[in-house]
Amino acid sequence: MSENLFAEPNLKQITVWARGVLQNKDARDVVVALTEAAAQEDKYVQAWENYVDLPDRVYVPVRAYAKISPDPIDSRYVYENDAPDVVVLMEETLVKNDKILKGLKEGGILVVNTRRSPEEILNFLVTNGNLGTVVTVDANSMSTAVVTLDGAEGATDATGIGAGISAPVAGAVVKASGIVKLENLEKVVKNPAAMRRGYNECQVMKLDKIEPAEPVKEETAWDLLKRMPFAGTVDSPVSENPGMVTGNWRTRRPVIDKEQCTECSTCWIFCPDACITRTDNGMEFNLKYCKGCALCEATCPSGAITMVPELDFKE
Ligand code: SF4
Ligand code: SF4
């Protein structure tokens, strides 16, 4: 959108994806640390979070944004980054989300907090349009995530910037992008040793060929409005609400052992998203809506359900 409205050839956009309220702080720290470092270089900067993303939930994908430019930022009131140069994932299963690379600039960079290699991560991407570089950094082994609600909703943040996994992740961003000088990032993070490990130990893979991004046709608010009945009778409630897909919240997936399952339906009663159905083939999960809360596993009296890491599955 802003591409058409604003000509800002020197503007860099960084979009950080994380999971819910517990990772919100580390996601915010990445954008704040990078912009604070850029401010030391007399750049124009912005750092903010996307409150459309329901950041008070636990596993929901949430975004934090940074803009950095040597010139005044004309698009400063555009709420979402529309053309990121760098996309960061604070948790590896976010790689399956088909929105993460939306609008990525040609030759853009993807940085993922994971123990996996860039090749493995590339394998999970729904699309790699415009992607030029994949970077992986095992930030969880270099620092401890800051799990705190300090700083949420504008409260004072007592832990400081870059005390947790944000420090090595920001280090990896700088290694891959050179977006700020390393010494300036070092001045603003609370854990510079972890930041340097992220910089030195991340794996950087440049892609041989950059695939062009496919145009994505998304349903707009206007399209949705046009589908709403104006008056008179309305459709019965549907069994699925495509406006509230929660399957992309999941980091672990329930797997059922049908030999052990007695079809008692306890899991069906407890699933908060009504995504378990009794079929002729036994109990089935609707993975489009299963958010991976593990209540079914906890309540199954037969121990027939096991939560398995999401990236054990390609699809
Ligand atoms: S609670 Fe366990 S045993 Fe009962 S239907 Fe669900 S999976 Fe089967
Ligand atoms: S993990 Fe189990 S209880 Fe939770 S949403 Fe998925 S199917 Fe339902």
Side-chain angles (χ1 to χ4, degrees):
M1 176 177 46
S2 65
E3 270 178 355
N4 302 329
L5 291 174
F6 306 102
E8 299 180 291
N10 299 316
L11 177 72
K12 300 289 181 199
Q13 298 182 7
I14 302 157
T15 299
V16 180
W17 290 79
R19 286 217 175 268
V21 66
L22 298 180
Q23 277 200 335
N24 215 27
K25 155 76 176 153
D26 269 317
R28 179 170 60 244
D29 274 11
V30 173
V31 293
V32 173
L34 290 168
T35 49
E36 290 273 324
Q40 307 256 338
E41 298 166 16
D42 293 330
K43 303 245 177 75
Y44 292 85
V45 299
Q46 276 185 295
W48 75 105
E49 291 169 69
N50 190 327
Y51 277 90
V52 175
D53 287 342
L54 304 173
D56 53 347
R57 304 296 173 98
V58 176
Y59 285 122
V60 63
V62 294
R63 287 163 291 180
Y65 301 117
K67 282 180 182 168
I68 297 175
S69 177
D71 311 315
I73 299 172
D74 294 336
S75 61
R76 58 190 170 277
Y77 298 123
V78 175
Y79 187 61
E80 297 185 348
N81 273 352
D82 59 342
D85 300 81
V86 182
V87 172
V88 177
L89 309 184
M90 301 301 284
E91 193 280 324
E92 65 177 8
T93 61
L94 287 161
V95 77
K96 282 185 164 181
N97 187 328
D98 61 355
K99 305 277 191 306
I100 55 167
L101 296 185
K102 188 178 155 208
L104 186 74
K105 287 205 189 108
E106 190 178 341
I109 298 167
L110 174 66
V111 178
V112 186
N113 171 24
T114 177
R115 293 167 61 186
R116 295 168 195 264
S117 67
E119 289 82 357
E120 282 177 279
I121 288 301
L122 195 56
N123 203 30
F124 283 112
L125 286 173
V126 179
T127 168
N128 61 357
N130 281 358
L131 188 62
T133 304
V134 183
V135 182
T136 59
V137 57
D138 186 8
N140 294 334
S141 75
M142 300 172 188
S143 193
T144 305
V146 176
V147 179
T148 172
L149 300 184
D150 277 12
E153 301 287 356
T156 304
D157 184 348
T159 53
I161 299 164
I165 58 171
S166 55
V169 169
V173 170
V174 171
K175 176 73 166 278
S177 66
I179 201 158
V180 293
K181 292 196 177 91
L182 189 65
E183 59 266 31
N184 288 331
L185 185 61
E186 189 155 31
K187 283 182 204 160
V188 298
V189 292
K190 253 195 141 175
N191 191 346
M195 185 279 287
R196 281 210 171 261
R197 281 193 66 190
Y199 182 89
N200 291 323
E201 296 175 32
C202 65
Q203 299 181 54
V204 179
M205 182 179 82
K206 291 206 177 291
L207 305 193
D208 296 335
K209 183 165 177 275
I210 296 173
E211 304 288 345
E214 298 284 334
V216 181
K217 170 79 182 95
E218 282 200 62
E219 203 165 34
T220 63
W222 175 239
D223 293 331
L224 290 171
L225 196 63
K226 282 191 290 189
R227 286 208 280 116
M228 285 179 71
F230 177 67
T233 57
V234 297
D235 292 339
S236 305
V238 291
S239 57
E240 292 190 6
N241 177 358
M244 196 57 208
V245 172
T246 45
N248 61 7
W249 299 25
R250 195 174 60 243
T251 61
R252 292 184 305 152
R253 172 185 299 199
V255 172
I256 189 165
D257 180 343
K258 289 192 175 166
E259 298 283 302
Q260 266 181 271
C261 173
T262 60
E263 299 193 15
C264 68
S265 296
T266 306
C267 57
W268 177 85
I269 292 168
F270 277 92
C271 176
D273 290 283
C275 48
I276 303 175
T277 313
R278 190 172 186 159
T279 72
D280 291 344
N281 193 28
M283 309 307 283
E284 299 282 350
F285 299 97
N286 183 342
L287 292 174
K288 192 168 167 193
Y289 296 90
C290 166
K291 64 189 174 200
C293 68
L295 274 174
C296 51
E297 180 194 44
T299 54
C300 172
S302 309
I305 298 176
T306 309
M307 300 302 292
V308 177
E310 185 58 33
L311 292 194
D312 283 4
F313 307 90
K314 173 78 174 75
E315 299 303 328

